Amino acid sequence: MQLSIDLTGQHVLVTGAATAARQAIKRYESAGAVVFHLPVPAYLGPGAGLPARPFLVAAVDDGQPGWEPVLSRYRAAGVPVASEPAAGAAGHVTLVGGGPGSTDLLTLAALKALRDADVVFYDRLAPYQELPVLTTARLVDVGKKPGHHKVSQTDIQQLMVDAALAGNNVVRFKGGDPYVFGRGGEEVAACVAAGVKVQVISGVTSAISVPAAAGIPVTHREVSHMFTVVSGHAPLTADEHRHLTGLGGTIVVLMGIGTLHQLAAGLRQAGMRADMPMAVVERGYRPGQRTTFANLGTITSAAAGCSNPAVLVIGEVVRVAAANNGHAQATAEFDLLAASLLGS
């Protein structure tokens, strides 16, 4: 069970060794509480410098024996005792997949890593807007835009390594999954080369989730039993167009608006039929999400007003989704009509 409570100005006693309790102390201070810290089970009588009856006791699981009598005394006095995890060992890097852009799709492991972070280097495609609520860490924007890299990849890797070597718990917060066109392999290699402990927390990749947000399944029984994920940052070669056309199944292109014209022309030249269904899903799971349905022969003109971040989907699964979405649209229009009639 999770509860939200206003701790502004309230006395909170955090128990646990300093290293283990450091993140809990930061979290409660960030929540506006007046925090007192008890690092070892000790005398709690007059002169101890602790509140006689705090609003809340936050008990950090630091592995020390002797805490139970202390906590039992507060419970007997009617003081709530909340269990808090110990902070992780200092000086490591965690690559966290932030999913397609909604905090609702963050994993529990991602939330735990953010809670335990001292510094977060984040990208613009991750759900960074909610970071001040999810972590007390120092936040550093290293996001890239097409044609404009505020911080180079090499510099990002050096920032991560330097921060970890200085004793910080570092989170590299990325959109989607770190290992799906996220350069996670390069960042792991940089940490390993510097002797920094590193782990990767997978994220919900936009290759699957953004089509799903538009009602498009990347596989569908008797329609498509495979899908291929392609980066749209650079035009594909003629051989790659032929390969994709010959594979069949569903083609998913990430960030492909800038190369859409070359992609459509290349697939047509490779033999893909002009009436192959296509969709462009913009800003999946974000405000302003929009889906444009067309086919290979008309997509260039149909998507003239589209922009990244976007996911392109090519294949018969789009026809299935378009039919479902058409039914949903008709239902929505009926509901709006009914509401207007009832309102009158």
Side-chain angles (χ1 to χ4, degrees), residues 134-194:
L134 301 175
T135 183
T136 57
R138 179 168 61 91
L139 305 178
V140 181
D141 179 6
V142 292
K144 303 171 185 174
K145 297 181 180 179
H148 174 67
H149 292 184
K150 179 184 300 186
V151 184
S152 72
Q153 183 63 33
T154 300
D155 288 341
I156 291 172
Q157 292 164 191
Q158 192 61 54
L159 287 170
M160 291 163 42
V161 167
D162 290 346
L165 291 176
N168 294 291
N169 289 352
V170 177
V171 163
R172 176 74 171 100
F173 194 46
K174 311 169 75 67
D177 183 276
Y179 280 170
V180 180
F181 303 126
R183 306 190 74 167
E186 299 170 49
E187 293 173 352
V188 167
C191 292
V192 171

Side-chain angles (χ1 to χ4, degrees), residues 61-117:
D61 183 12
D62 66 354
Q64 290 188 86
W67 282 118
E68 190 51 39
V70 175
L71 302 179
S72 295
R73 176 175 174 180
Y74 281 112
R75 290 192 188 99
V79 177
V81 176
S83 297
E84 289 283 347
H92 67 265
V93 171
T94 305
L95 274 58
V96 174
S102 170
T103 54
D104 292 340
L105 294 180
L106 288 177
T107 65
L108 293 175
L111 292 174
K112 181 179 178 182
L114 288 169
R115 183 183 60 193
D116 200 39

Side-chain angles (χ1 to χ4, degrees), residues 5-7 9-13 33 51 53-57 78-81:
I5 190 169
D6 184 4
L7 294 175
Q10 298 289 354
H11 288 187
V12 172
L13 175 63
R53 194 178 187 281
F55 180 78
L56 175 73
V57 173
V79 177
V81 176

Side-chain angles (χ1 to χ4, degrees), residues 218-315:
V218 293
T219 63
H220 190 79
R221 191 168 69 89
E222 298 181 353
V223 176
S224 174
H225 65 275
M226 70 174 73
F227 65 96
T228 305
V229 182
V230 181
S231 170
H233 283 290
L236 301 178
T237 65
D239 284 343
E240 288 170 327
H241 287 132
R242 284 191 292 270
H243 178 68
L244 287 174
T245 301
L247 271 178
T250 305
I251 302 171
V252 179
V253 184
L254 305 185
M255 303 294 282
I257 294 299
T259 56
L260 176 57
H261 178 78
Q262 294 96 326
L263 176 70
L267 292 177
R268 287 285 291 118
Q269 290 172 5
M272 186 174 289
R273 67 182 202 271
D275 66 346
M276 178 64 75
M278 282 193 66
V280 178
V281 187
E282 301 171 84
R283 299 177 295 278
Y285 291 99
R286 297 166 182 253
Q289 176 180 317
R290 180 176 67 167
T291 305
T292 300
F293 291 102
N295 58 48
L296 187 60
T298 61
I299 190 64
T300 301
S301 58
C306 296
S307 60
N308 283 322
V311 174
L312 315 182
V313 187
I314 309 167

